[in-house]
């Protein structure tokens, strides 16, 4: 990933070392100190991962971090089912920034994922002051139309509305029992004046992310959530709540191997043989241990140390690679016993493209971005006025060259409009050496963007009568 280092150099904003970053998913001000975000929130790097047929966003380091992506890549490699889920608020008009998530979804789809996309109408209602009707209209006329035009496969995609799928709200309610107001305050900065719908919105998103694992929506399988890094608080919350709801903890042992312990909760105390004042019902406990042994019998471990009294099973011979399959086997067992059996979601994160004026991209400031249905003349105007990394005079430019890291035309070719790596490298070389002038790189950007927008607009025309194919039954 050649591009990673160069992009880093341009976006890192030095900040105080001691104060932590807080990510606010609803703010237009986001930290772009990506390596710090990655370290502070424990995101995995993507650089050493073996990504099959990497997309342009992978090759150029724009997708820069992940959680548990290996679980998903394993499923893809072994041709096991896995799903991708993401969502967008249907507020404002869909622009280039939004299209990055759909590009990620498309890539997972090409690797065999089934696709679920949430129209976050409840969230937009709670946080953007839109009525549910406005959300619906906007979603259908703009967002879903563009999802289709951007090339999602309708056979394998299903778009739904948060407000029309009660199960996502039910999950939010059920798992809401496992968090507290203080935790929501510390993750999101909510306070006494926050409206309750806003506080509920992240729990609805937890429901969005987890419900594809329900039997009616495809059953237990890895689910990956591609998002901008501003959404990571929701991912963390979802992963924590899913893990807290699990009946079995599967951990690596210090001495090597894997341990399985019972996570005793109100809902499973009976099944796990925990009676009054913590007394262990030996018969029930023996039964649950037998079920665990049966669930992992297929792995053929010869050495299994059982301690029913303490609710602990140890498998010294199991490797970390077995951990995933053991976890799945136990989630299955949990479901048989009446639990939810939820696997924490995986995720991938993309960097934000810079706004055309040089600062943040925002749908409320049309001059900072290109909308997917912008006319060619409007796009042209924006590119011509866009922030340039060129020098003040032609002489100086020839001598010093342009700065690709801050040049909007170059950055947009890199993130959106120039899929060919060789062509992009040529442009980079010519522009940074001063051979290519600022006006010239802008013209290249305009030409590529025109092709891109025209093609998208043709696709919108040809597909607009078939949008129903993309909608789930409860969204019709
Ligand atoms: N919160 C997201 C946004 O601000 C939208 C969203 C809703 C979402 N549900 C989701 C994103 C589930 C990813 C996964 O646009």
């Amino acid at each position: 990933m050649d591009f990673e280092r160069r992009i880093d150099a341009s976006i890192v904003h030095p900040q105080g070392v001691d104060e932590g970053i807080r990510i606010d998913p609803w703010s237009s001000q986001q930290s772009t100190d990506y390596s710090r975000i990655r370290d502070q929130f424990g995101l995995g790097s993507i650089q050493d991962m073996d990504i099959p047929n990497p997309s342009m966003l992978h090759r150029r380091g724009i997708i820069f971090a992940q959680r548990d992506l290996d679980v998903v890549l394993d499923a893809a490699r072994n041709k096991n089912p896995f799903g991708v889920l993401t969502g967008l608020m249907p507020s404002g008009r869909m622009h280039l920034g939004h299209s990055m998530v759909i590009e990620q979804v498309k890539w997972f789809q090409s690797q065999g994922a089934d696709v679920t996309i949430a129209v976050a109408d409840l969230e937009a209602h709670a946080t953007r002051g839109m009525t549910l009707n406005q959300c619906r209209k906007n979603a259908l006329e703009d967002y879903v139309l563009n999802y289709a035009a951007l090339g999602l496969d309708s056979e394998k995609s299903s778009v739904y509305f948060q407000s029309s799928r009660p199960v996502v709200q039910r999950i939010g309610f059920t798992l809401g029992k496992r968090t507290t107001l203080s935790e929501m305050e510390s993750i999101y900065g909510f306070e006494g004046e926050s409206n309750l719908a806003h506080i509920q919105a992240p729990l609805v998103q937890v429901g969005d992310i987890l419900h594809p694992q329900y039997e009616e929506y495809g059953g237990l399988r890895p689910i990956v959530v591609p998002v901008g890094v501003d959404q990571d608080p929701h991912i963390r919350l979802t992963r924590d709540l899913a893990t807290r709801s699990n009946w079995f903890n599967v951990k690596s042992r210090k001495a090597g191997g894997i341990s399985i312990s019972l996570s005793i909760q109100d809902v499973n105390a009976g099944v796990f043989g925990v009676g009054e004042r913590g007394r262990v019902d030996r018969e029930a406990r023996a039964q649950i241990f037998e079920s665990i042994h049966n669930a992992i019998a297929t792995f053929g471990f010869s050495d299994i140390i059982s301690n029913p009294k303490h609710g602990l099973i140890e498998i010294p011979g199991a490797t970390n690679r077995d951990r995933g399959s053991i976890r799945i086997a136990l989630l299955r067992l949990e479901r048989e016993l009446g639990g939810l059996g939820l696997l924490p979601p995986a995720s991938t994160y993309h960097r934000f493209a810079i706004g055309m004026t040089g600062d943040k991209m925002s749908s409320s400031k049309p001059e900072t971005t290109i909308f997917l249905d912008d006319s060619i003349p409007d796009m042209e105007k924006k590119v011509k006025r866009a922030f340039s990394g060129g020098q003040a005079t032609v002489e100086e430019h020839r001598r010093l060259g342009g700065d690709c890291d801050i040049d909007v035309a170059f950055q947009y070719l890199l993130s959106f409009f120039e899929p060919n790596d060789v062509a992009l490298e040529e442009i980079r070389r010519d522009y940074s050496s001063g051979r290519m002038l600022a006006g010239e790189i802008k013209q290249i950007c305009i030409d590529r963007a025109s092709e891109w927008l025209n093609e998208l607009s043709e696709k919108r025309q040809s597909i607009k009568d078939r949008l129903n194919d993309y909608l789930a039954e409860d969204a019709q």
Side-chain angles (χ1 to χ4, degrees):
M1 296 204 184
D2 263 344
F3 295 87
E4 175 109 320
R5 195 180 42 78
R6 290 187 210 125
I7 298 170
D8 249 337
S10 72
I11 336 193
V12 171
H13 296 277
Q15 301 194 6
V17 240
D18 39 357
E19 90 205 44
I21 296 174
R22 157 118 76 196
I23 301 180
D24 175 354
W26 297 282
S27 159
S28 60
Q29 295 301 313
Q30 300 296 351
S31 168
T32 48
D33 188 344
Y34 295 108
S35 25
R36 222 171 135 224
I37 292 177
R38 192 158 57 195
D39 293 347
Q40 184 179 325
F41 296 105
L43 306 180
S45 159
I46 212 153
Q47 254 167 322
D48 314 319
M49 298 189 96
D50 186 13
I51 309 277
N53 311 309
S55 74
M56 170 174 132
L57 298 181
H58 294 110
R59 297 196 306 274
R60 300 177 184 180
I62 296 167
I63 296 171
F64 74 103
Q66 49 81 28
R67 292 183 189 273
D68 280 358
L69 183 60
D70 52 334
V71 175
V72 173
L73 295 178
D74 271 351
R77 203 170 299 121
N78 300 324
K79 305 260 179 283
N80 288 333
F82 69 104
V84 52
L85 177 135
T86 193
L88 285 169
M89 277 198 265
S91 55
R93 283 160 71 198
M94 192 165 165
H95 59 62
L96 283 179
H98 300 129
S99 75
M100 294 173 112
V101 156
I102 302 302
E103 288 301 323
Q104 294 201 61
V105 169
K106 261 168 57 185
W107 182 81
F108 283 114
Q109 187 166 55
S110 73
Q111 301 306 305
D114 60 87
V115 175
T116 315
I117 301 183
V119 175
D121 59 346
L122 290 178
E123 185 184 356
H125 180 58
T127 66
R128 296 279 193 261
M130 294 178 66
T131 68
L132 292 179
N133 276 336
Q134 285 168 333
C135 287
R136 180 170 186 92
K137 187 162 179 295
N138 205 23
L140 292 175
E141 288 173 2
D142 187 358
Y143 287 74
V144 180
L145 180 58
N146 279 305
Y147 301 162
L150 285 165
L152 290 186
D153 173 359
S154 64
E155 292 284 308
K156 288 193 276 177
S157 313
S158 150
V159 178
Y160 72 96
F161 290 79
Q162 287 178 327
S163 64
S164 324
R165 193 163 278 189
V167 68
V168 302
Q169 296 159 58
R170 202 162 69 223
I171 294 174
F173 199 90
T174 310
L175 290 184
K177 269 192 79 165
R178 297 178 192 279
T179 183
T180 62
L181 189 51
S182 316
E183 190 178 37
M184 296 300 270
E185 283 169 356
S186 79
I187 301 177
Y188 297 104
F190 291 138
E191 37 183 65
E193 293 307 305
S194 306
N195 81 66
L196 288 182
H198 196 161
I199 298 176
Q200 276 183 58
L203 287 167
V204 176
Q205 183 153 343
V206 169
D208 285 330
I209 296 173
L210 294 174
H211 87 280
Q213 294 185 48
Y214 275 34
E215 296 307 326
E216 312 85 283
Y217 296 97
L220 180 58
R221 67 198 184 293
I223 299 291
V224 60
V225 188
V227 279
V229 72
D230 63 312
Q231 297 293 303
D232 187 55
H234 301 308
I235 305 286
R236 264 181 281 142
L237 178 68
T238 310
R239 287 169 57 89
D240 284 350
L241 296 187
T243 305
R244 283 175 207 166
S245 79
N246 287 167
W247 289 17
F248 304 99
N249 301 319
V250 183
K251 297 210 172 104
S252 306
R253 287 162 83 235
K254 278 207 195 78
I258 275 172
S259 73
I260 302 169
S261 58
L262 303 182
S263 164
I264 292 159
Q265 306 164 15
D266 288 351
V267 285
N268 62 26
V271 180
F272 281 179
V274 180
E276 297 280 302
R277 273 173 264 114
R279 258 202 21 235
V280 176
D281 170 344
R282 282 170 58 187
E283 212 163 293
R285 186 57 65 88
Q287 218 167 14
I288 186 73
F289 265 59
E290 196 184 319
S291 305
I292 298 174
H293 279 263
N294 288 340
I296 58 175
T298 51
F299 300 106
F301 299 118
S302 54
D303 186 13
I304 299 181
I305 310 163
S306 279
N307 185 339
K309 191 163 166 231
H310 291 112
L312 186 69
I313 289 183
E314 295 177 275
I315 318 171
T319 64
N320 249 340
R321 301 211 66 203
D322 298 319
R323 198 169 142 201
S325 339
I326 293 178
R327 211 157 50 142
I328 296 271
L330 292 174
L331 290 175
R332 261 201 204 103
L333 173 61
E334 180 186 329
R335 288 179 180 213
E336 278 167 30
L337 298 169
L340 296 170
L342 297 169
L343 190 64
S347 50
T348 55
Y349 304 91
H350 65 74
R351 298 163 187 268
F352 302 109
I354 47 172
M356 303 193 77
T357 47
D359 32 62
K360 302 277 149 59
M361 189 188 277
S362 154
S363 30
S364 56
K365 297 190 196 126
E367 69 280 11
T368 64
T369 187
I370 296 173
F371 295 102
L372 300 190
D373 61 357
D374 262 349
S375 69
I376 302 297
D378 280 351
M379 173 277 290
E380 216 175 317
K381 233 181 278 162
K382 290 181 191 178
V383 176
K384 285 198 171 135
R385 286 185 195 149
F387 189 81
S388 165
Q391 307 296 340
T393 65
V394 173
E395 288 69 39
E396 238 175 277
H397 189 87
R398 294 278 185 225
R399 191 159 54 83
L400 301 171
D403 184 347
C404 289
D405 291 337
I406 56 169
D407 191 274
V408 168
F410 182 81
Q411 288 295 319
Y412 279 38
L413 288 164
L414 174 126
S415 303
F416 307 110
F417 302 131
E418 182 49 81
N420 183 323
D421 290 351
V422 177
L424 187 74
E425 269 318 296
E426 265 171 34
I427 296 171
R428 182 201 293 281
R429 198 193 51 211
D430 289 353
Y431 190 57
S432 50
S433 72
R435 198 174 322 150
M436 182 185 286
L437 297 175
E440 292 169 329
I441 197 171
K442 283 190 171 179
Q443 193 53 49
I444 296 179
C445 182
I446 289 170
D447 293 345
R448 290 281 173 285
S450 303
E451 281 169 33
W452 197 89
L453 288 173
N454 281 334
E455 196 183 314
L456 192 64
S457 148
E458 276 164 32
K459 290 227 183 92
R460 276 197 302 265
Q461 279 308 315
S462 70
I463 213 155
K464 69 176 191 307
D465 299 324
R466 276 180 285 144
L467 286 192
N468 267 348
D469 299 353
Y470 288 85
L471 298 181
E473 239 167 73
D474 56 14
Q476 304 274 343

